[in-house]
Amino acid sequence: MLQLNYIRENKEDVVKRLAVKHFKDAESIISSVLELDAKRRNTQKDADAVKAEANTIAKQIGELMKSGKKEEAEQQKTKTAELKQKEKELDEALKSTETEIHKLLVQVPNLPSTKVPAGRTPEDNEVVFEHGSKPNLTADALPHWELAAKYDLIDFELGVKLTGAGFPVYKGKGARLQRALINFFLDRATAAGYLEVQPPILVNEDSGYGTGQLPDKEGQMYHVGIDNLYLIPTAEVPVTNIYRDVIVKESDLPIKNCGYTPCFRREAGSYGKDVRGLNRLHQFDKVEIVQIAHPDKSYETLEDMREYVAGLLKELELPFRTLKLCGGDMSFASALTYDMEVWSGAQQRWLEVSSVSNFESFQTNRLKCRFKGADGKTQLAHSLNGSALALPRIVAGLLENNQTPEGIKLPKALVPYAGFEYIN
RNA sequence: GGAGAAAUGGCAGAGCGGUCGAAUGCGGCAGUCUUGAAAACUGUUGAGGGUAAUACCUCCGGGGGUUCGAAUCCCUCUUUCUCCGCCA
């Protein structure tokens, strides 16, 4: 959520930057917000004045009672009825104005950073880095779902039986590879200074709201109605919400957390070749890195995180590229996002395996995650996160790119974790 | 799941319905002292709104109520603790 006082002071700029995100009605929504904001402040001023008067009278009555002047006290009491009525009306008006402002404000996406390219579609994303060369596979190279069947690594049909489409069952070396990747990612993150946390994978409404999944993306999350809890779509939700309503020490910044969790996404409406095999699942595993950073340093932090993720992909010996997302392709809450895509040799396409974003104060404003600066003032911290990494498409890339007549050869870095060099 | 107790500032812990944003201790910060540190002493130390700055307003787990006036009384929800039951 954007900060109201920023909007108040930078209306033109806000509208201009929202255009980069192709947000419709920016002008009219922002204008309404500002109008309501002015109204709110007026109403509050009136309400405060009434309350001040009522407080004064109440104090006077107290004095009078104490000094035994009961009649005078009673007389004062008669004055209060009208004030109380007024107070009630003003408070209600205030509340409803605040609600209106809030309703509008939650619809407004984050402002893109000035470095964001102006495009509209994924084609307009900017390739900022490429690494590794695409494997020379023969024409009969198999896509990962066929490899998974051939080596009995993943059983998609069994998942359908147990749960439904999009819930694969990993078996044997397939299961072991999952475990290896999770441990590999967690070990690397820990070595890079991230504190490992193991959060709940069900969260309450406040948490869903804090990171912005609620209210707008309610349909994307699995909801446990009986307890009103949500299955997390990413560890970002519980891990970032650790810092909800927290004022951290400036000297503790940046705070670096990582966590492995299963992730659950309803992905309603997806179909076709995009969702074949491991390309898109309802349940998948991911290690997430999250940082709470000083506002002056958050873009350095973002670059650090991007490089950290790139380092993982290099260790996994996967050809990848890094994209800077254009305004039209960025998520609602992000100010700047890098996507990391791995080349999938048999499918002949790029698969997104990580998304690293700086949310600036967009999330922390909702979360009320602040720090006290050197000047003694509390201000919002910046939050960032990135996948490091999401497993399924990594597995897809590993299987497809490394297929040989002898079997699938694992990258060196994974061998100690997996306990085998070849899947055959 | 059943029965009881509780929820106050970073922590601990007071708080007769009016003078309580809240005693006191610890911690934090600043200063004095010291070559430096520790100790001791002095001061300072919650958040939000509002203002040019003051005033002023709100917040003692959440929500509602009683009252001229609520941290204090009532209702309700949530959470925690103790006892019982169940259980990986």
Side-chain angles (χ1 to χ4, degrees):
Chain A
M1 197 159 66
L2 295 179
Q3 286 174 260
L4 195 44
N5 51 12
Y6 185 85
I7 299 178
R8 206 182 286 150
E9 282 155 29
N10 305 278
K11 186 189 169 190
E12 303 298 309
D13 181 54
V14 168
V15 171
K16 214 169 79 191
R17 286 165 74 185
L18 284 174
V20 175
K21 274 212 169 175
H22 304 284
F23 176 64
K24 282 178 279 173
D25 312 325
E27 171 79 47
S28 79
I29 288 188
I30 295 300
S31 297
S32 311
V33 165
L34 289 177
E35 254 168 61
L36 287 166
D37 176 49
K39 184 176 161 194
R40 196 212 92 223
R41 280 187 291 166
N42 273 330
T43 310
Q44 191 181 32
K45 224 179 277 179
D46 294 346
D48 283 357
V50 172
K51 284 177 189 177
E53 198 181 341
N55 285 345
T56 308
I57 293 177
K59 263 179 205 155
Q60 284 170 359
I61 293 174
E63 302 285 328
L64 292 171
M65 295 292 265
K66 215 188 280 178
S67 51
K69 297 175 184 164
K70 282 212 171 126
E71 278 131 60
E72 284 180 53
E74 288 303 322
Q75 205 173 19
Q76 286 290 74
K77 279 192 196 180
T78 58
K79 290 195 204 163
T80 61
E82 194 192 341
L83 286 174
K84 278 181 83 172
Q85 183 55 30
K86 244 195 217 164
E87 187 181 325
K88 203 174 161 192
E89 283 166 17
L90 287 167
D91 272 345
E92 271 162 22
L94 191 63
K95 217 180 214 173
S96 85
T97 308
E98 277 170 354
T99 309
E100 274 182 79
I101 292 174
H102 191 255
K103 260 191 207 156
L104 289 175
L105 227 39
V106 294
Q107 293 173 38
V108 180
N110 199 4
L111 304 180
S113 138
T114 50
K115 300 162 206 160
V116 168
R120 186 179 280 274
T121 70
E123 281 73 50
D124 300 322
N125 295 334
E126 210 173 273
V127 179
V128 295
F129 186 75
E130 257 189 280
H131 179 269
S133 45
K134 297 175 183 174
N136 293 312
L137 298 179
T138 53
D140 59 350
L142 299 174
H144 68 268
W145 53 89
E146 288 184 28
L147 291 164
K150 179 175 170 186
Y151 296 111
D152 202 18
L153 302 172
I154 305 168
D155 194 330
F156 292 97
E157 283 70 36
L158 185 54
V160 171
K161 171 182 167 183
L162 300 181
T163 307
F167 294 89
V169 178
Y170 301 87
K171 301 197 293 194
K173 284 187 172 175
R176 180 65 189 251
L177 180 58
Q178 293 286 112
R179 196 147 54 87
L181 283 165
I182 292 163
N183 285 334
F184 170 72
F185 291 143
L186 284 174
D187 282 356
R188 288 298 183 275
T190 306
Y194 291 90
L195 178 74
E196 182 179 345
V197 294
Q198 210 174 89
I201 59 176
L202 282 164
V203 293
N204 58 28
E205 247 178 306
D206 285 348
S207 294
Y209 177 79
T211 30
Q213 280 71 23
L214 295 176
D216 23 309
K217 290 176 211 141
E218 170 138 37
Q220 288 293 328
M221 287 194 289
Y222 287 97
H223 182 220
V224 183
I226 192 167
D227 292 308
N228 195 25
L229 297 172
Y230 294 85
L231 275 163
I232 58 170
T234 157
E236 165 197 344
V237 179
V239 175
T240 311
N241 270 281
I242 292 173
Y243 303 98
R244 169 154 50 86
D245 293 320
V246 170
I247 298 178
V248 300
K249 279 197 208 141
E250 186 175 23
S251 57
D252 286 344
L253 298 175
I255 293 169
K256 303 169 78 173
N257 286 158
C258 68
Y260 153 71
T261 65
C263 302
F264 302 88
R265 298 189 182 175
R266 295 189 62 235
E267 305 282 10
S270 308
Y271 60 92
K273 68 172 170 22
D274 285 357
V275 306
R276 203 72 206 268
L278 295 172
N279 290 344
R280 186 167 299 170
L281 300 171
H282 288 308
Q283 177 180 338
F284 63 97
D285 294 296
K286 180 160 65 66
V287 172
E288 184 81 1
I289 50 176
V290 173
Q291 293 209 36
I292 306 295
H294 193 286
D296 298 343
K297 300 268 178 67
S298 65
Y299 279 93
E300 284 169 43
T301 300
L302 181 68
E303 295 305 314
D304 282 352
M305 291 170 75
R306 176 172 74 93
E307 270 169 37
Y308 170 75
V309 175
L312 293 177
L313 293 170
K314 285 177 190 168
E315 273 202 90
L316 292 175
E317 300 167 34
L318 289 165
F320 70 93
R321 63 178 191 178
T322 303
L323 304 174
K324 187 194 273 182
L325 296 193
C326 68
D329 199 32
M330 283 168 73
S331 74
F332 186 79
S334 171
L336 182 61
T337 297
Y338 291 112
D339 270 8
M340 319 289 273
E341 298 184 331
V342 156
W343 180 253
S344 162
Q347 295 183 78
Q348 292 284 307
R349 54 190 281 231
W350 293 100
L351 298 178
E352 181 194 330
V353 292
S354 178
S355 190
V356 184
S357 303
N358 186 356
F359 302 99
E360 296 191 3
S361 60
F362 193 80
Q363 281 185 332
T364 53
N365 189 29
R366 283 195 180 193
L367 291 162
K368 294 204 184 70
C369 171
R370 293 156 295 173
F371 70 95
K372 192 174 270 190
D375 56 357
K377 282 188 182 165
T378 50
Q379 55 174 311
L380 295 173
H382 281 188
S383 71
L384 304 94
N385 68 48
S387 347
L389 287 157
L391 266 66
R393 294 175 191 162
I394 291 288
V395 171
L398 287 174
L399 297 183
E400 294 184 14
N401 296 351
N402 299 328
Q403 53 187 308
T404 72
E406 291 78 46
I408 292 155
K409 189 172 192 298
L410 291 197
K412 273 194 221 72
L414 277 184
V415 174
Y417 286 92
F420 49 82
E421 199 176 339
Y422 278 92
I423 294 171
N424 46 26

